[in-house]
Amino acid sequence: MNWLQVIYQYTMGGIFFVVTLSLCLYFRAADLKNRSDKKAVIYLILGFFGYLIFHVVWIVLASPDR
């Protein structure tokens, strides 16, 4: 597995994720003072990093070099 592909994928996806989330917060589509909006933002961030970790573990376990 070429790790540059994973780094590129999650860097580009992370930039898109941060820009989109920033726009939501800037235009007050999500208000961090609201408890449910704060939970949603936290779940989104945890989901992004959780999927990143899941993907990396999956790649490491599937690699024939183990």
Side-chain angles (χ1 to χ4, degrees), residues 21 23-34 37-38 40-41:
L21 192 57
L23 288 172
C24 286
L25 295 173
Y26 178 76
F27 289 112
R28 305 212 188 269
D31 185 11
L32 292 180
K33 294 176 186 168
N34 185 345
D37 287 352
K38 184 186 257 185
V41 169

Side-chain angles (χ1 to χ4, degrees), residues 2-12:
N2 187 352
W3 285 103
L4 289 176
Q5 294 171 353
V6 175
I7 293 168
Y8 175 78
Q9 178 181 351
Y10 282 96
T11 300
M12 292 294 112

Side-chain angles (χ1 to χ4, degrees), residues 3-61:
W3 285 103
L4 289 176
Q5 294 171 353
V6 175
I7 293 168
Y8 175 78
Q9 178 181 351
Y10 282 96
T11 300
M12 292 294 112
I15 290 170
F16 180 77
F17 178 77
V18 167
V19 168
T20 304
L21 192 57
S22 298
L23 288 172
C24 286
L25 295 173
Y26 178 76
F27 289 112
R28 305 212 188 269
D31 185 11
L32 292 180
K33 294 176 186 168
N34 185 345
R35 185 172 181 227
S36 64
D37 287 352
K38 184 186 257 185
K39 274 176 60 173
V41 169
I42 290 171
Y43 289 156
L44 285 170
I45 294 169
L46 290 176
F48 179 81
F49 287 107
Y51 191 73
L52 168 66
I53 292 168
F54 173 76
H55 196 182
V56 168
V57 168
W58 189 355
I59 290 168
V60 168
L61 291 176

